[in-house]
Amino acid sequence: MDIEKVNSMDFGEFVDVFGNVIERCPLIAAAVWSKRPFSGLGDLEKHFFAFIDGLPLSGQEGVLRCHPELAGRQLQCGRLTAESQREQSAAGLQNLGAAERLRFTELTAQYRTRFGFPFVLAVRLSDPAAAPRELARRLRCPPAQELRTALGEVKKICHLRLADLLGEQP
Ligand code: 2AL
């Protein structure tokens, strides 16, 4: 799909197509629609990112809380959004061994307790072995820094999903 097609979309179509580029946050696509026309992928994503950056802390935490756990029960049951299911499966998170999965689940639970939101990582950019290491590392970061890191991961996921939709190289 090219950018002219994006610019020609009415509100409903735009939210249907782009409503999950920020996981389970169609409101952001609804707000971005009014910023058209867009000159290209970079311009389009700039508006998604600016919306997130402009949110109060409670809103930014809310965006993070809309993300599913990595390698969680929903992945095993196939109850994630289509994008998330694809990303987590492709990253091999469905095939963790029992011991790895247990350790990952323990660490994600500790992370949620410490920061109040789930661990978010753009898994398409990492390999299965790196995810637990990164989780253990970020678990020790100060909360304000970790919020920034997690929102950066949300933006990477958004970039990859937008590139898929526009048929562009990420
Ligand atoms: C996800 C997800 O669903 N896809 C991805 O790359 N990361 N979730 C998460 N909690 O990091």
Side-chain angles (χ1 to χ4, degrees):
M1 155 184 11
D2 61 20
I3 201 70
E4 282 73 34
K5 165 70 185 149
V6 175
N7 288 327
S8 74
M9 287 179 178
D10 67 20
F11 175 76
E13 188 182 3
F14 187 89
V15 175
D16 278 350
V17 172
F18 294 104
N20 207 51
V21 298
I22 307 291
E23 180 74 13
R24 294 191 295 168
C25 293
L27 169 69
I28 304 185
V32 166
W33 180 75
S34 55
K35 304 292 184 184
R36 73 201 189 293
F38 309 103
S39 59
L41 170 62
D43 185 39
L44 179 58
E45 74 179 12
K46 187 183 79 186
H47 291 290
F48 279 93
F49 297 173
F51 187 94
I52 293 172
D53 291 339
L55 287 171
L57 178 63
S58 57
Q60 294 180 338
E61 289 176 341
V63 167
L64 294 171
R65 289 184 188 125
C66 285
H67 286 70
E69 292 291 357
L70 284 178
R73 204 192 309 267
Q74 286 174 304
L75 172 66
Q76 305 306 325
C77 306
R79 297 209 3 238
L80 295 170
T81 62
E83 293 88 343
S84 187
Q85 192 78 33
R86 217 169 26 241
E87 290 158 357
Q88 296 203 34
S89 303
L93 294 176
Q94 217 163 9
N95 307 321
L96 295 179
E100 278 176 308
R101 206 157 86 80
L102 185 62
R103 166 145 172 80
F104 203 77
T105 307
E106 281 169 5
L107 287 175
T108 51
Q110 281 177 35
Y111 182 100
R112 191 186 272 275
T113 301
R114 171 156 159 76
F115 297 111
F117 47 78
F119 174 65
V120 177
L121 179 73
V123 287
R124 281 169 70 182
L125 302 177
S126 92
D127 63 65
R133 266 203 313 273
E134 183 63 0
L135 173 49
R137 185 189 70 75
R138 281 171 48 189
L139 198 42
R140 295 191 299 269
C141 289
Q145 179 186 328
E146 187 48 31
L147 179 85
R148 281 195 302 276
T149 303
L151 291 173
E153 295 298 313
V154 170
K155 291 175 185 176
K156 287 181 200 168
I157 296 168
C158 174
H159 171 77
L160 293 167
R161 292 181 181 181
L162 282 174
D164 283 348
L165 286 166
L166 293 179
E168 290 192 19
Q169 290 295 324

